[in-house]
Amino acid sequence: MSTDVDDGRDRAAELESAEAGQFGVPVDAICVGCGRIRVKRADPNEIGQASDVDPTDLE
């Protein structure tokens, strides 16, 4: 996820939505059906990280 691009999205609001989930590491998720990009929370194992990783240590 590029943090230097202003694409008009409100990522904070997306992260607070129920659709994002309550637990996990925030990531940009792309729907394979419609191509919509939104913030979701992923389990660390889903993104190739150890389950006990500190999310603040991830890039």
Side-chain angles (χ1 to χ4, degrees), residues 1 5-17 20 28 36-40:
M1 177 171 91
V5 176
D6 182 15
D7 55 8
R9 290 174 49 209
D10 185 352
R11 287 179 174 85
E14 290 179 33
L15 187 58
E16 293 299 319
S17 75
D28 271 355
R36 179 178 168 217
I37 301 172
R38 61 186 173 135
V39 175
K40 298 273 295 186

Side-chain angles (χ1 to χ4, degrees), residues 1-57:
M1 177 171 91
S2 177
T3 58
D4 59 349
V5 176
D6 182 15
D7 55 8
R9 290 174 49 209
D10 185 352
R11 287 179 174 85
E14 290 179 33
L15 187 58
E16 293 299 319
S17 75
E19 292 178 324
Q22 296 181 353
F23 303 102
V25 180
V27 297
D28 271 355
I30 303 172
C31 176
V32 296
C34 66
R36 179 178 168 217
I37 301 172
R38 61 186 173 135
V39 175
K40 298 273 295 186
R41 291 186 182 267
D43 184 88
N45 292 326
E46 293 177 306
I47 58 172
Q49 301 294 324
S51 60
D52 61 347
V53 69
D54 181 358
T56 59
D57 292 336

